[in-house]
């Protein structure tokens, strides 16, 4: 069917060949003119912005802004940094040292601490490196973030959805679905290699200096960028990157990638970007391959970032995933296979028979996962029968957990009797089953621990929550 659609598009294009020959020249001319106009507008805006931000540090250290920052740091929580100060201890410290903190920032005497290196496994394999600042540094970064967000966010692209107020992944998915409904079924999926760890400091600071008039703020941000990374008692110096884990990193990443957004807009592309995950939607594979070559060149030569050639690809929308979803022809939405696989891995961890915790605690942990997972994947409108099967598999895992807790045959027999299974059937289940997993296939066990029984235990249903 896909080949038929491509053939129809090819034949339709041949009918308009004379009109389309002239299009690239007109488009190139328009891009040059539009680019110059945009450049003049940007220069004028940045000049005004520099004037308005000449005393930005005073706003950053204002008590009201610092108090707002403190509350956000408390909400975010997280582990301590290299100084071992916990988030809960920050309020007491500020009560004694807030005037001294403000003074040191204003006279540029504040010393930024190294970040704590933490490595966490990626779902796709490998590890992701986090840099955890001290809670005091997180407070200051959050205060900077709050002021810079007012300045930069209003000028970010409408196609950018990550790390922004009133924007989320669901909006990005719905916009991508809209592009596909328009016939743009081919995706240029660009993967930036180690993006957060490879941001060019000099280029980022140069970009910030064009719009911020307070040199003190620029020097403070640069100090956070250059802060060493502590691992095993040794401090590593960093020459690139803005480590994930600090409140300022998401905003700085958007400032860096806003150049990519503006270039894609200038070229008239349909795209969605969430953090460093960028998908461009086109009408054919051939067009996608052209876009991949030209945009890769722009990213590597202009932005000084590296495109991962192995992970970046041009594919049909139904053959890939975006933010955990797979978009189908005509814009229908399903949950990506890898997202389901990761959920199953999490269920296996929670229902592992050797954990030895109370069944009610297992249900509580599962419900937390189910509620969060279904809230995120609520946009799915296709292939939900797979989720019904997943529900059944999860209940079987729970039955197995309950039976395994009995330990002995007689204890298992008593449990089955307490569930209302007849004496003879209870003995048959216990005596003629080959292991706990096999025991869950017995009709009597499935009937006794059926949907109503799990509902009484308080278990949430994946399928029912997605079909509300």
């Amino acid at each position: 069917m896909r080949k038929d659609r491509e053939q129809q598009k090819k034949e339709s294009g041949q009918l308009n060949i004379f009109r389309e020959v002239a299009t690239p020249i007109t488009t190139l001319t328009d891009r040059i003119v539009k680019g110059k106009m945009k450049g003049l507008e940007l220069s004028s805006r940045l000049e005004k912005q520099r004037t308005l931000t000449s005393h930005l540090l005073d706003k950053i250290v204002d008590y009201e802004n610092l108090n707002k920052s403190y509350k956000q740091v408390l909400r975010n929580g997280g582990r301590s940094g290299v100084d071992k100060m916990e988030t809960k201890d920050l309020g007491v410290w500020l009560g004694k040292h807030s005037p001294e903190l403000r003074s040191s920032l204003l006279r540029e005497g504040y010393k930024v601490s190294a970040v704590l290196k933490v490595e966490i496994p990626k779902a796709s394999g490998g590890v992701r490196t986090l840099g955890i600042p001290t809670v005091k540094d997180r407070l200051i970064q959050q205060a900077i973030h709050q002021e810079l967000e007012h300045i930069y966010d209003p000028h970010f692209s409408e196609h950018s959805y990550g790390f922004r107020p009133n924007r989320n992944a669901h909006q990005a998915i719905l916009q991508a679905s809209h592009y596909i409904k328009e016939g743009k079924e081919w995706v240029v999926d660009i993967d930036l290699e180690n993006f957060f760890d490879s941001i060019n400091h000099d280029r980022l600071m140069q970009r910030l200096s064009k719009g911020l008039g307070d040199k003190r703020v620029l020097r403070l941000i640069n100090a956070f960028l250059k802060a060493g990374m502590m691992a095993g008692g040794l401090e590593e110096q960093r020459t690139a990157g803005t480590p994930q884990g600090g409140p300022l990193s998401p905003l700085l990443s958007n400032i860096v990638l806003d150049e990519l957004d503006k270039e894609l807009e200038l070229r008239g592309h349909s795209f969605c970007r969430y953090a460093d995950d960028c998908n461009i939607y086109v009408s054919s594979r051939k067009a996608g391959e052209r876009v991949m070559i030209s945009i890769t060149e722009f990213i590597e030569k202009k932005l000084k970032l590296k495109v991962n050639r192995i992970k970046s690809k041009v594919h049909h929308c139904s053959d890939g995933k975006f933010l955990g979803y797979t978009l189908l022809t005509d814009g229908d939405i399903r949950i990506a296979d890898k997202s389901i696989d990761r959920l199953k891995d999490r269920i296996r961890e929670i229902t592992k028979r050797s954990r030895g915790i109370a069944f009610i605690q297992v249900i509580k942990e599962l419900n937390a996962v189910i509620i969060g997972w279904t809230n995120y994947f609520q946009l799915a409108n296709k292939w939900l029968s797979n989720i019904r099967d997943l529900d059944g598999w999860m209940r079987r895992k729970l039955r197995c957990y309950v039976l395994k807790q009995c330990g002995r045959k007689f204890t298992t027999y008593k449990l089955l009797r307490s569930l209302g299974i007849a004496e003879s059937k209870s003995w048959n289940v216990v005596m003629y089953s080959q292991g706990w997993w096999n025991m869950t296939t017995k009709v009597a066990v499935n009937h006794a621990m059926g949907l109503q029984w799990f509902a009484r235990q308080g278990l949430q249903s994946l399928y029912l929550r997605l079909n509300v």
Side-chain angles (χ1 to χ4, degrees), residues 46-111:
L46 291 176
E47 187 176 346
K48 292 178 182 177
Q49 190 171 292
R50 280 196 301 274
T51 303
L52 293 172
T53 57
S54 58
H55 295 89
L56 181 61
L57 187 59
D58 298 270
K59 293 183 179 180
I60 289 171
V61 301
D62 180 79
Y63 277 114
E64 185 177 347
N65 188 53
L66 286 175
N67 188 50
K68 182 181 176 183
S69 173
Y70 166 69
K71 291 178 180 177
Q72 186 60 49
V73 170
L74 283 185
R75 282 193 293 270
N76 291 342
R79 63 182 295 176
S80 60
V82 295
D83 65 352
K84 307 298 183 184
M85 181 188 287
E86 300 288 344
T87 309
K88 59 184 176 61
D89 301 323
L90 180 60
V92 176
W93 185 89
L94 283 173
K96 298 177 180 178
H97 301 283
S98 57
E100 178 187 335
L101 174 66
R102 294 181 71 249
S103 174
S104 66
L105 288 166
L106 288 170
R107 59 182 169 79
E108 298 188 76
Y110 181 81
K111 300 297 182 184

Coordinates of all heavy atoms in Angstrom, one line a residue, residues 46-111:
L46 N 17.7 42.2 20.0 CA 18.8 41.9 20.9 C 19.4 43.2 21.5 O 19.8 43.2 22.7 CB 19.9 41.1 20.2 CG 19.5 39.6 19.9 CD1 20.6 39.0 19.1 CD2 19.2 38.8 21.1
E47 N 19.5 44.2 20.7 CA 20.0 45.5 21.2 C 19.2 46.1 22.3 O 19.7 46.5 23.4 CB 20.1 46.5 20.0 CG 20.8 47.8 20.4 CD 21.0 48.7 19.2 OE1 20.8 48.3 18.1 OE2 21.3 49.9 19.5
K48 N 17.9 46.0 22.1 CA 16.9 46.5 23.2 C 17.0 45.6 24.4 O 17.0 46.0 25.5 CB 15.5 46.4 22.6 CG 15.2 47.5 21.6 CD 13.8 47.3 21.1 CE 13.5 48.3 19.9 NZ 12.1 48.2 19.4
Q49 N 17.2 44.3 24.1 CA 17.3 43.3 25.2 C 18.5 43.5 26.1 O 18.5 43.4 27.3 CB 17.3 41.9 24.7 CG 17.1 40.8 25.7 CD 16.9 39.4 25.0 OE1 15.9 39.2 24.3 NE2 17.9 38.6 25.1
R50 N 19.6 43.9 25.4 CA 20.9 44.1 26.2 C 20.7 45.3 27.1 O 21.2 45.3 28.3 CB 22.0 44.4 25.2 CG 22.6 43.1 24.7 CD 24.0 43.4 24.1 NE 24.0 44.4 23.0 CZ 23.7 44.1 21.7 NH1 23.4 42.8 21.4 NH2 23.7 45.0 20.8
T51 N 20.0 46.3 26.6 CA 19.8 47.5 27.4 C 18.9 47.2 28.6 O 19.2 47.7 29.7 CB 19.1 48.6 26.6 OG1 19.9 48.9 25.4 CG2 18.9 49.9 27.4
L52 N 17.8 46.4 28.4 CA 16.9 46.1 29.5 C 17.5 45.2 30.5 O 17.0 45.1 31.6 CB 15.6 45.5 28.9 CG 14.8 46.4 28.0 CD1 13.7 45.6 27.3 CD2 14.2 47.5 28.9
T53 N 18.5 44.5 30.2 CA 19.1 43.5 31.1 C 20.5 43.9 31.6 O 21.3 43.1 32.1 CB 19.3 42.1 30.4 OG1 20.1 42.3 29.2 CG2 17.9 41.5 30.0
S54 N 20.7 45.2 31.6 CA 22.0 45.7 32.1 C 22.2 45.5 33.6 O 23.4 45.5 34.1 CB 22.2 47.2 31.7 OG 21.1 48.0 32.3
H55 N 21.1 45.4 34.4 CA 21.2 45.1 35.8 C 20.4 43.8 36.2 O 19.7 43.8 37.2 CB 20.6 46.3 36.6 CG 21.4 47.6 36.4 ND1 21.2 48.5 35.4 CD2 22.5 48.1 37.1 CE1 22.0 49.5 35.5 NE2 22.8 49.3 36.5
L56 N 20.6 42.8 35.3 CA 19.9 41.6 35.5 C 20.2 40.9 36.8 O 19.3 40.3 37.4 CB 20.1 40.7 34.3 CG 19.4 39.3 34.3 CD1 17.9 39.5 34.3 CD2 19.9 38.5 33.1
L57 N 21.5 40.9 37.2 CA 21.9 40.2 38.4 C 21.1 40.7 39.7 O 20.8 39.9 40.6 CB 23.4 40.3 38.7 CG 23.9 39.5 39.8 CD1 23.7 38.0 39.6 CD2 25.4 39.7 40.0
D58 N 20.8 42.0 39.7 CA 20.0 42.5 40.8 C 18.6 41.9 40.9 O 18.1 41.6 42.0 CB 19.9 44.1 40.7 CG 21.2 44.8 40.7 OD1 21.7 45.1 41.8 OD2 21.8 44.9 39.6
K59 N 18.0 41.6 39.7 CA 16.7 40.9 39.7 C 16.9 39.5 40.1 O 16.0 38.9 40.8 CB 16.1 41.0 38.3 CG 15.7 42.4 37.9 CD 15.1 42.4 36.5 CE 14.6 43.7 36.0 NZ 14.0 43.7 34.7
I60 N 18.0 38.9 39.7 CA 18.2 37.4 40.1 C 18.3 37.2 41.6 O 17.8 36.3 42.1 CB 19.4 36.9 39.3 CG1 19.2 36.8 37.8 CG2 19.9 35.5 39.9 CD1 20.4 36.5 37.0
V61 N 19.0 38.1 42.3 CA 19.2 38.0 43.7 C 18.2 38.7 44.5 O 18.3 38.7 45.8 CB 20.6 38.5 44.1 CG1 21.7 37.7 43.4 CG2 20.8 40.0 43.9
D62 N 17.1 39.2 43.9 CA 16.0 39.8 44.6 C 15.4 38.7 45.6 O 15.3 37.6 45.2 CB 15.0 40.3 43.6 CG 13.8 41.0 44.4 OD1 13.9 42.1 44.8 OD2 12.8 40.3 44.5
Y63 N 15.1 39.2 46.8 CA 14.6 38.2 47.8 C 13.3 37.4 47.3 O 13.2 36.2 47.5 CB 14.2 38.9 49.1 CG 15.4 39.1 50.0 CD1 15.9 40.4 50.2 CD2 16.1 38.1 50.5 CE1 16.9 40.6 51.1 CE2 17.2 38.3 51.4 CZ 17.6 39.6 51.6 OH 18.7 39.7 52.4
E64 N 12.5 38.1 46.5 CA 11.3 37.4 46.0 C 11.6 36.3 45.0 O 11.1 35.2 45.0 CB 10.3 38.5 45.4 CG 9.0 37.9 44.9 CD 8.1 38.9 44.3 OE1 8.3 40.1 44.5 OE2 7.1 38.5 43.7
N65 N 12.6 36.6 44.1 CA 13.0 35.6 43.2 C 13.7 34.5 43.8 O 13.5 33.3 43.5 CB 13.9 36.3 42.1 CG 14.2 35.3 41.0 OD1 13.3 34.8 40.3 ND2 15.5 35.2 40.7
L66 N 14.6 34.8 44.8 CA 15.3 33.7 45.5 C 14.3 32.8 46.3 O 14.5 31.6 46.4 CB 16.3 34.3 46.5 CG 17.6 34.9 45.8 CD1 18.5 35.5 46.9 CD2 18.4 33.8 45.1
N67 N 13.3 33.4 46.9 CA 12.3 32.6 47.6 C 11.6 31.7 46.7 O 11.3 30.5 47.0 CB 11.3 33.6 48.4 CG 10.4 32.8 49.3 OD1 10.9 32.0 50.1 ND2 9.1 33.1 49.2
K68 N 11.2 32.2 45.5 CA 10.5 31.4 44.5 C 11.5 30.2 44.1 O 11.0 29.1 43.9 CB 10.1 32.2 43.3 CG 9.4 31.5 42.2 CD 9.1 32.4 41.1 CE 8.4 31.7 39.9 NZ 8.2 32.6 38.8
S69 N 12.7 30.6 43.9 CA 13.7 29.6 43.6 C 13.9 28.5 44.6 O 13.9 27.3 44.3 CB 15.1 30.2 43.3 OG 16.1 29.3 43.1
Y70 N 13.9 28.9 45.9 CA 14.0 28.0 47.0 C 12.8 27.0 47.0 O 13.0 25.8 47.2 CB 14.1 28.8 48.3 CG 13.9 27.9 49.6 CD1 14.8 27.0 50.0 CD2 12.7 28.1 50.3 CE1 14.6 26.2 51.1 CE2 12.5 27.3 51.5 CZ 13.5 26.4 51.8 OH 13.2 25.6 53.0
K71 N 11.6 27.5 46.8 CA 10.5 26.6 46.8 C 10.5 25.6 45.7 O 10.1 24.4 45.9 CB 9.2 27.4 46.7 CG 8.9 28.3 47.9 CD 7.6 29.1 47.7 CE 7.3 29.9 49.0 NZ 6.1 30.8 48.8
Q72 N 11.0 26.0 44.5 CA 11.2 25.1 43.4 C 12.2 24.0 43.7 O 12.0 22.9 43.3 CB 11.5 25.9 42.1 CG 11.5 25.0 40.9 CD 10.1 24.4 40.6 OE1 9.1 25.1 40.6 NE2 10.1 23.1 40.3
V73 N 13.3 24.4 44.3 CA 14.4 23.4 44.6 C 13.8 22.4 45.6 O 14.1 21.2 45.4 CB 15.6 24.2 45.2 CG1 16.6 23.1 45.7 CG2 16.3 25.0 44.1
L74 N 13.0 22.8 46.5 CA 12.4 21.9 47.5 C 11.5 20.9 46.7 O 11.5 19.7 47.0 CB 11.6 22.7 48.5 CG 12.4 23.3 49.7 CD1 11.4 23.9 50.7 CD2 13.3 22.3 50.4
R75 N 10.7 21.4 45.8 CA 9.8 20.6 45.1 C 10.5 19.6 44.2 O 10.1 18.4 44.1 CB 8.8 21.4 44.2 CG 7.7 22.1 44.9 CD 6.7 22.6 43.9 NE 7.2 23.7 43.1 CZ 7.1 25.0 43.5 NH1 6.5 25.3 44.7 NH2 7.6 26.0 42.7
N76 N 11.6 20.0 43.6 CA 12.4 19.1 42.8 C 13.1 18.0 43.6 O 13.3 16.9 43.1 CB 13.4 19.9 42.0 CG 12.8 20.8 40.9 OD1 11.7 20.6 40.5 ND2 13.6 21.8 40.5
G77 N 13.5 18.3 44.8 CA 14.2 17.3 45.6 C 15.5 16.9 45.0 O 16.3 17.8 44.5
G78 N 15.8 15.7 45.1 CA 17.0 15.2 44.5 C 18.1 15.0 45.5 O 18.0 15.4 46.7
R79 N 19.2 14.3 45.1 CA 20.2 14.0 46.1 C 21.2 15.1 46.3 O 21.1 16.1 45.6 CB 21.0 12.8 45.5 CG 21.8 13.0 44.2 CD 22.5 11.8 43.8 NE 23.6 11.4 44.7 CZ 24.3 10.3 44.5 NH1 24.1 9.5 43.5 NH2 25.3 10.0 45.4
S80 N 22.0 15.0 47.3 CA 22.9 16.1 47.7 C 24.1 16.1 46.7 O 24.4 15.1 46.0 CB 23.5 15.8 49.1 OG 24.1 14.6 49.2
G81 N 24.8 17.2 46.7 CA 26.0 17.3 45.8 C 27.3 17.0 46.5 O 27.3 16.3 47.5
V82 N 28.4 17.6 46.1 CA 29.7 17.2 46.7 C 29.8 17.7 48.1 O 30.7 17.2 48.9 CB 30.8 17.8 45.8 CG1 30.8 17.2 44.4 CG2 30.7 19.3 45.7
D83 N 29.0 18.7 48.6 CA 29.2 19.2 49.9 C 28.3 18.4 50.9 O 28.2 18.8 52.1 CB 28.8 20.7 50.0 CG 27.4 21.0 49.6 OD1 26.7 20.1 49.2 OD2 27.0 22.2 49.8
K84 N 27.5 17.5 50.4 CA 26.7 16.6 51.2 C 25.4 17.3 51.8 O 24.7 16.7 52.6 CB 27.5 15.9 52.3 CG 28.7 15.2 51.9 CD 28.4 14.0 51.0 CE 29.6 13.2 50.6 NZ 29.3 12.2 49.6
M85 N 25.2 18.6 51.5 CA 24.0 19.2 52.1 C 22.8 18.7 51.4 O 22.7 18.7 50.2 CB 24.1 20.8 51.9 CG 22.9 21.5 52.5 SD 22.9 23.3 52.1 CE 24.2 23.9 53.1
E86 N 21.8 18.3 52.2 CA 20.5 17.8 51.7 C 19.6 19.0 51.4 O 19.7 20.1 52.0 CB 19.9 16.9 52.7 CG 20.7 15.6 53.1 CD 20.8 14.6 51.9 OE1 19.9 14.7 51.0 OE2 21.6 13.8 52.0
T87 N 18.6 18.7 50.5 CA 17.6 19.8 50.2 C 16.9 20.3 51.4 O 16.7 21.5 51.5 CB 16.6 19.2 49.2 OG1 17.3 18.6 48.1 CG2 15.7 20.3 48.6
K88 N 16.6 19.4 52.3 CA 15.8 19.7 53.5 C 16.6 20.7 54.4 O 16.0 21.4 55.3 CB 15.4 18.5 54.3 CG 16.5 17.6 54.8 CD 16.0 16.4 55.4 CE 17.1 15.4 55.8 NZ 18.1 16.0 56.8
D89 N 17.9 20.7 54.3 CA 18.7 21.6 55.1 C 19.0 22.9 54.6 O 19.6 23.8 55.2 CB 20.1 20.9 55.4 CG 20.0 19.5 56.0 OD1 19.1 19.4 56.9 OD2 20.8 18.6 55.7
L90 N 18.5 23.2 53.3 CA 18.8 24.4 52.7 C 18.1 25.6 53.3 O 18.7 26.7 53.5 CB 18.4 24.3 51.2 CG 18.6 25.6 50.3 CD1 20.1 26.0 50.3 CD2 18.0 25.4 48.9
G91 N 16.9 25.4 53.8 CA 16.1 26.5 54.5 C 16.9 27.0 55.7 O 16.9 28.2 55.9
V92 N 17.4 26.1 56.5 CA 18.1 26.5 57.7 C 19.4 27.3 57.3 O 19.7 28.3 57.9 CB 18.5 25.3 58.6 CG1 19.3 25.7 59.8 CG2 17.2 24.5 59.0
W93 N 20.1 26.8 56.3 CA 21.3 27.5 55.9 C 21.0 28.9 55.4 O 21.7 29.8 55.7 CB 22.0 26.6 54.8 CG 23.3 27.2 54.4 CD1 24.5 26.9 54.9 CD2 23.5 28.2 53.3 NE1 25.5 27.6 54.3 CE2 24.9 28.4 53.3 CE3 22.7 28.8 52.4 CZ2 25.5 29.3 52.4 CZ3 23.3 29.7 51.5 CH2 24.7 29.9 51.5
L94 N 19.9 29.0 54.6 CA 19.5 30.3 54.1 C 19.1 31.3 55.2 O 19.4 32.5 55.1 CB 18.4 30.2 53.0 CG 18.8 29.6 51.7 CD1 17.5 29.4 50.8 CD2 19.7 30.6 50.9
G95 N 18.5 30.8 56.2 CA 18.1 31.6 57.3 C 19.3 32.3 58.0 O 19.2 33.4 58.5
K96 N 20.4 31.7 57.9 CA 21.6 32.2 58.5 C 22.5 33.0 57.5 O 23.2 33.9 57.9 CB 22.5 31.1 59.1 CG 21.8 30.4 60.3 CD 22.6 29.2 60.8 CE 22.0 28.5 61.9 NZ 22.8 27.3 62.3
H97 N 22.5 32.6 56.2 CA 23.5 33.1 55.3 C 22.9 33.8 54.1 O 23.7 34.1 53.2 CB 24.3 31.9 54.8 CG 25.1 31.2 55.9 ND1 26.2 31.7 56.5 CD2 24.8 30.0 56.5 CE1 26.6 30.8 57.4 NE2 25.8 29.8 57.5
S98 N 21.6 34.0 54.0 CA 21.1 34.6 52.8 C 21.6 36.0 52.5 O 22.0 36.3 51.3 CB 19.5 34.7 52.8 OG 19.1 35.4 53.9
P99 N 21.8 37.0 53.5 CA 22.4 38.3 53.1 C 23.8 38.1 52.6 O 24.2 38.8 51.6 CB 22.4 39.0 54.5 CG 21.3 38.4 55.3 CD 21.4 36.9 54.9
E100 N 24.6 37.2 53.2 CA 26.0 36.9 52.8 C 26.0 36.3 51.4 O 26.8 36.7 50.5 CB 26.6 35.9 53.8 CG 28.0 35.5 53.4 CD 28.5 34.4 54.3 OE1 28.0 34.3 55.5 OE2 29.4 33.7 53.9
L101 N 25.0 35.4 51.1 CA 24.9 34.8 49.7 C 24.7 35.9 48.7 O 25.3 36.0 47.6 CB 23.8 33.8 49.7 CG 23.5 33.2 48.3 CD1 24.7 32.3 47.8 CD2 22.3 32.3 48.4
R102 N 23.7 36.8 48.9 CA 23.4 37.8 48.0 C 24.5 38.8 47.8 O 24.8 39.2 46.6 CB 22.1 38.6 48.5 CG 20.9 37.8 48.5 CD 19.7 38.7 49.0 NE 19.3 39.6 48.0 CZ 19.5 41.0 48.1 NH1 20.0 41.5 49.2 NH2 19.1 41.8 47.2
S103 N 25.2 39.1 48.8 CA 26.4 40.0 48.8 C 27.5 39.4 47.9 O 28.1 40.1 47.1 CB 26.9 40.3 50.2 OG 28.0 41.1 50.1
S104 N 27.8 38.1 48.1 CA 28.8 37.5 47.4 C 28.5 37.4 45.9 O 29.4 37.5 45.1 CB 29.1 36.1 48.0 OG 28.0 35.2 47.7
L105 N 27.3 37.2 45.6 CA 26.9 37.2 44.2 C 27.0 38.5 43.5 O 27.5 38.6 42.4 CB 25.4 36.6 44.0 CG 25.2 35.2 44.3 CD1 23.7 34.9 44.5 CD2 25.8 34.3 43.2
L106 N 26.6 39.6 44.2 CA 26.6 40.9 43.7 C 28.0 41.4 43.5 O 28.3 42.2 42.5 CB 25.8 41.9 44.5 CG 24.3 41.7 44.5 CD1 23.6 42.5 45.6 CD2 23.7 42.1 43.1
R107 N 28.9 41.0 44.4 CA 30.3 41.5 44.2 C 31.2 40.4 43.5 O 32.4 40.6 43.5 CB 30.9 41.8 45.6 CG 30.9 40.7 46.6 CD 31.5 41.2 47.9 NE 31.3 40.2 49.0 CZ 32.0 39.1 49.1 NH1 33.0 38.8 48.3 NH2 31.7 38.2 50.1
E108 N 30.5 39.4 42.9 CA 31.2 38.4 42.2 C 32.2 37.6 43.0 O 33.3 37.2 42.5 CB 31.8 38.9 40.9 CG 30.8 39.6 40.0 CD 31.4 39.9 38.6 OE1 31.6 39.0 37.8 OE2 31.6 41.1 38.4
G109 N 31.9 37.4 44.2 CA 32.8 36.6 45.1 C 32.3 35.2 45.4 O 32.9 34.4 46.1
Y110 N 31.2 34.8 44.8 CA 30.6 33.5 45.0 C 31.4 32.4 44.3 O 31.7 32.6 43.1 CB 29.1 33.4 44.5 CG 28.5 32.1 44.8 CD1 28.0 31.8 46.0 CD2 28.4 31.1 43.8 CE1 27.4 30.5 46.3 CE2 27.8 29.9 44.0 CZ 27.3 29.6 45.2 OH 26.7 28.4 45.5
K111 N 31.7 31.3 44.9 CA 32.5 30.2 44.4 C 31.6 29.1 44.0 O 30.9 28.5 44.9 CB 33.6 29.7 45.4 CG 34.6 30.8 45.8 CD 35.4 31.3 44.6 CE 36.4 32.3 45.0 NZ 37.2 32.9 43.9

